[in-house]
Amino acid sequence: MDSPMKRFLFYISACLAFVVLLLLRPTDWDFIPLLHQAAPSLSTIAEATIANSTLGFGAVVAVSHAKSPRQKDLLYAANLTGITITIPAQPVWTDEDLRSFRSPEKSRISKGSALAWMGHLNALRWFLDSPLETALVLEDDVDWDIRLRTTQIPLAAATIRQLLGNSSTLDYWGSLTWEILYLGHCGDMLKPSRLETLAHQTYEDTTLPPTERLHSRTSKLLLDLGIPEHTRLAHRSYFPLCTFGYAVTRASAQKILDSYNKEGENGCQAFDVRILEACRDHDWKCYTINPELFHHIDAPSEIANVDKGKVEEGEEKLKRLKGTQNLACGARQQGFVVEGEEGKGWLRREVGEKGMCLMDLMEEDMGRWP
């Protein structure tokens, strides 16, 4: 057989082998092996590392009590977008639990904030009782874009790997040299002069809304930093406020439980303030994705309701047709809520898998759905 024919058959065999490899890959694992090539782009890496159902972490854990009106909606959105969420059972906190948690002097925390803080600690204890190495902790009123698993998380994870000097897709979120990853927050505001002193990297994300559609504080931050349209920033945390969605390792979860299992000396208003202080003042290895990937829905504050003595039970009516702040197409918008397995199956295919957004769908359009 002549040499050109040998080369042709070799190329055909190699292509067939690669196709078979793709067809036989596990359907729920987080990456497709990359062919060896020189200096692959971030987008190429991300496309090859689509997140699994726990977004590349050991588990996605929600902080939520048994009577929370937000649980049903949270799990519906998770099912729509192919995310597995675990909700550890919370104890029924007693007055004695609250007294033990509060600072004996100069306490500054309200009952609602104390219960929320204790809920976070409970979720971290559940994580440490498991054999898992990492966990993403979510508050139960968060929303996320329908392309979180297919586009946003792969891009963020690939950027964190590059930022930490570990481009291997076998370690989805890097070498675990981080302690806290802020994927959901209400702002990590910093000035250009401060950013220059922090490890950081920008990356293109076309799922990020245009600057004029972002919250005014967020758009101002990006403009001040000179960040282009549809671009996010991964950076060492500076002032990360709110714990809508944060990832921990076993070591950092234990560190939080050891350091912040009570309100602490001189009091504190909330759990997220203590974590901010850990990152800002105590040199914890915290990193932020800016703008955030998770943000809270437009709904009454459960903490405020507890502080006012109101008890919420049952399903909550939420006004989400206008969408969630800083998200192009939130999974928890009311337009995605349908009854019947046929309609839900259609939504999972068209929305969760293909990324079709129904943000502008109004009630009169519902009849067109399967």
Side-chain angles (χ1 to χ4, degrees):
M1 187 182 296
D2 61 25
S3 180
M5 181 61 69
K6 286 183 179 179
R7 286 198 299 272
F8 173 75
L9 292 177
F10 173 79
Y11 291 143
I12 291 296
S13 300
C15 291
L16 288 174
F18 183 62
V19 170
V20 170
L21 176 63
L22 293 181
L23 292 175
L24 295 179
R25 75 188 190 278
T27 58
D28 193 40
W29 187 230
D30 52 10
F31 68 95
I32 300 170
L34 282 173
L35 289 175
H36 291 291
Q37 55 186 338
S41 68
L42 184 63
S43 60
T44 301
I45 294 174
E47 287 171 1
T49 54
I50 293 174
N52 63 9
S53 65
T54 54
L55 307 180
F57 300 102
V60 180
V61 183
V63 178
S64 185
H65 62 82
K67 295 182 179 180
S68 171
R70 296 170 170 84
Q71 273 196 28
K72 181 179 179 180
D73 198 50
L74 173 76
L75 295 176
Y76 185 97
N79 186 48
L80 174 68
T81 51
I83 299 171
T84 300
I85 293 182
T86 300
I87 305 179
Q90 281 190 29
V92 177
W93 307 112
T94 65
D95 290 341
E96 180 57 36
D97 291 329
L98 282 168
R99 281 193 295 271
S100 177
F101 174 81
R102 283 192 167 112
S103 176
E105 297 180 3
K106 300 180 181 179
S107 177
R108 293 184 285 157
I109 197 166
S110 69
K111 179 179 179 180
S113 289
L115 292 176
W117 190 329
M118 292 160 69
H120 279 272
L121 298 178
N122 179 74
L124 294 176
R125 292 189 187 100
W126 175 89
F127 165 54
L128 288 176
D129 285 342
S130 78
L132 304 172
E133 293 297 323
T134 59
L136 175 64
V137 182
L138 302 178
E139 296 179 353
D140 70 355
D141 63 347
V142 298
D143 196 4
W144 56 87
D145 192 278
I146 59 172
R147 293 153 296 186
L148 178 74
R149 179 181 173 184
T150 57
T151 301
Q152 293 181 345
I153 288 292
L155 285 170
T159 305
I160 290 294
R161 291 196 302 268
Q162 289 192 358
L163 189 60
L164 298 179
N166 180 7
S167 60
S168 170
T169 57
L170 296 176
D171 194 353
Y172 197 79
W173 283 99
S175 58
L176 298 189
T177 56
W178 51 268
E179 293 182 294
I180 296 177
L181 293 181
Y182 274 94
L183 304 186
H185 51 85
C186 53
D188 191 341
M189 303 299 172
L190 65 167
K191 296 179 180 180
S193 58
R194 189 66 178 120
L195 178 62
E196 293 172 2
T197 68
L198 302 172
H200 65 278
Q201 183 170 326
T202 59
Y203 66 97
E204 183 182 16
D205 183 352
T206 57
T207 69
L208 180 67
T211 303
E212 66 269 15
R213 285 185 53 198
L214 298 173
H215 187 275
S216 57
R217 290 180 63 214
T218 306
S219 60
K220 184 178 186 306
L221 171 70
L222 297 180
L223 289 171
D224 288 348
L225 295 177
I227 305 298
E229 290 278 309
H230 305 298
T231 301
R232 295 189 197 268
L233 175 68
H235 61 90
R236 184 73 181 256
S237 302
Y238 173 65
F239 198 92
L241 188 60
C242 302
T243 46
F244 298 151
Y246 62 98
V248 292
T249 66
R250 296 190 67 82
S252 61
Q254 187 62 60
K255 198 171 177 179
I256 292 172
L257 289 172
D258 291 343
S259 304
Y260 305 121
N261 61 353
K262 293 185 179 181
E263 182 184 3
E265 187 177 356
N266 296 321
C268 182
Q269 299 96 325
F271 174 75
D272 66 311
V273 174
R274 283 293 190 226
I275 303 303
L276 181 155
E277 292 171 348
C279 298
R280 183 193 63 191
D281 304 330
H282 303 299
D283 201 31
W284 287 30
K285 296 179 179 65
C286 308
Y287 293 86
T288 299
I289 297 296
N290 224 339
E292 68 277 11
L293 304 180
F294 297 91
H295 201 92
H296 67 73
I297 55 178
D298 181 16
S301 167
E302 188 172 9
I303 290 176
N305 286 331
V306 170
D307 292 341
K308 293 175 183 177
K310 294 173 63 176
V311 178
E312 288 186 292
E313 295 186 29
E315 191 171 356
E316 186 176 42
K317 298 297 183 183
L318 304 176
K319 297 179 181 179
R320 293 190 301 281
L321 284 175
K322 293 183 179 179
T324 300
Q325 179 176 305
N326 289 346
L327 302 183
C329 191
R332 291 177 76 161
Q333 62 169 285
Q334 198 63 49
F336 288 146
V337 179
V338 298
E339 299 295 332
E341 287 306 312
E342 185 177 0
K344 291 177 182 177
W346 181 82
L347 277 173
R348 281 193 291 270
R349 290 191 303 274
E350 299 300 319
V351 176
E353 297 174 14
K354 299 180 183 179
M356 181 179 69
C357 185
L358 306 178
M359 185 65 73
D360 298 324
L361 188 69
M362 304 303 289
E363 290 184 5
E364 57 265 29
D365 296 322
M366 296 288 282
R368 298 188 299 176
W369 291 15

